């Protein structure tokens, strides 16, 4: 398992990022390193490789080239489009997840079989229209639910059970107690920049 994160821990991460403790914040550990230490303590048979880095066009092939699946927990559209371009160009499955406030989204993307992220959202929305955890906040239970759904989809992919992978996007709102699965098959497009043409602009 390779964990890539550039950030260092802060106290306000702890309510939603359950791998970490106050002692990790006090030690000023990078998130990737603290997560690796915790996971090794849970299961020492698993090899955990922490990488403290930005994911960029220059290093994504090194970071993700040899993995069997990508699980995305990033907080910005630029990285998601980059991951999408890399996944589509290499045929590598990836599981997208995002949370703001009490709402979250999860989608497993299998290149060549499902719509890709660019099919669903050809262009990123204007920055001023993008709520973030900093501007809108986030409640910990929503992160836990989304992360668990992502992990389940990753387990299906990694165990070779493609037929069990959810072909729809899961939308959750824990404040209103709603969980919906939305069909997205119709969004797959032969004119999609990434998986239709293809044009991997974000890799450049």
């Amino acid at each position: 398992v390779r964990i890539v994160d550039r950030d260092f821990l802060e106290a306000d991460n702890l309510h939603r990022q359950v791998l970490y403790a106050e002692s990790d914040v006090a030690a000023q550990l990078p998130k990737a390193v603290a997560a690796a230490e915790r996971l090794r303590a849970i299961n020492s048979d698993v090899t955990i490789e922490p990488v403290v880095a930005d994911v960029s066009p220059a290093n994504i092939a090194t970071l993700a080239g040899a993995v069997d699946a990508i699980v995305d927990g990033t907080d910005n559209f630029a990285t998601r489009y980059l991951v999408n371009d890399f996944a589509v160009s290499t045929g590598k499955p990836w599981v997208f997840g995002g949370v703001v406030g009490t709402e979250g989204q999860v989608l497993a993307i299998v290149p060549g079989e499902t719509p890709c992220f660019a099919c669903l959202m050809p262009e990123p929305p204007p920055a001023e229209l993008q709520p973030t955890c900093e501007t809108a906040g986030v409640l910990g239970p929503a992160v836990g639910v989304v992360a668990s759904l992502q992990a389940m989809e990753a387990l299906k992919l990694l165990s070779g059970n493609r037929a069990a992978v959810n072909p729809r996007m899961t939308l959750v709102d824990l404040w209103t107690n709603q969980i919906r699965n939305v069909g997205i098959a119709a969004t797959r497009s032969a004119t999609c920049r990434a998986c239709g043409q293809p044009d991997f602009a974000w890799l450049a």
Side-chain angles (χ1 to χ4, degrees):
V1 176
R2 180 174 294 139
I3 303 170
V4 183
D5 199 317
R6 70 178 181 185
D7 287 340
F8 283 70
L9 279 164
E10 298 177 3
D12 63 4
N13 300 143
L14 298 181
H15 78 284
R16 67 184 185 275
Q17 298 176 11
V18 297
L19 287 176
Y20 309 127
E22 289 180 342
S23 57
D24 299 319
V25 177
Q28 297 182 321
L29 290 176
K31 289 183 179 180
V33 172
E37 290 182 0
R38 175 64 175 150
L39 291 171
R40 290 184 189 120
I42 293 170
N43 187 344
S44 59
D45 289 334
V46 178
T47 300
I48 312 292
E49 180 187 345
V51 179
V52 182
D54 262 322
V55 178
S56 71
N59 67 11
I60 191 168
T62 301
L63 295 172
V67 303
D68 296 308
I70 300 169
V71 180
D72 158 52
T74 60
D75 60 1
N76 65 85
F77 280 97
T79 306
R80 288 206 175 104
Y81 283 107
L82 172 61
V83 169
N84 185 75
D85 278 11
F86 179 78
V88 172
S89 69
T90 59
K92 201 173 295 291
W94 70 290
V95 184
F96 153 76
V99 186
V100 174
T102 62
E103 300 179 12
Q105 304 172 347
V106 178
L107 177 65
I109 296 171
V110 182
E113 298 179 23
T114 69
C116 77
F117 191 75
C119 288
L120 297 171
M121 189 175 290
E123 298 290 337
E128 65 272 15
L129 299 181
Q130 299 176 27
T132 67
C133 293
E134 277 191 27
T135 61
V138 60
L139 292 187
V143 176
V145 168
V146 167
S148 293
L149 291 171
Q150 285 185 274
M152 193 69 248
E153 294 306 302
L155 287 171
K156 295 172 188 176
L157 289 165
L158 292 168
S159 62
N161 289 286
R162 291 281 181 94
V165 173
N166 188 354
R168 291 171 280 189
M169 176 178 278
T170 301
L171 306 176
V172 302
D173 185 341
L174 296 191
W175 198 258
T176 58
N177 302 308
Q178 293 184 1
I179 299 179
R180 297 183 293 140
N181 282 296
V182 178
I184 58 164
T187 64
R188 188 177 181 194
S189 170
T191 61
C192 170
R193 171 195 60 79
C195 66
Q197 296 185 23
D199 171 14
F200 303 123
W202 291 86
L203 281 177

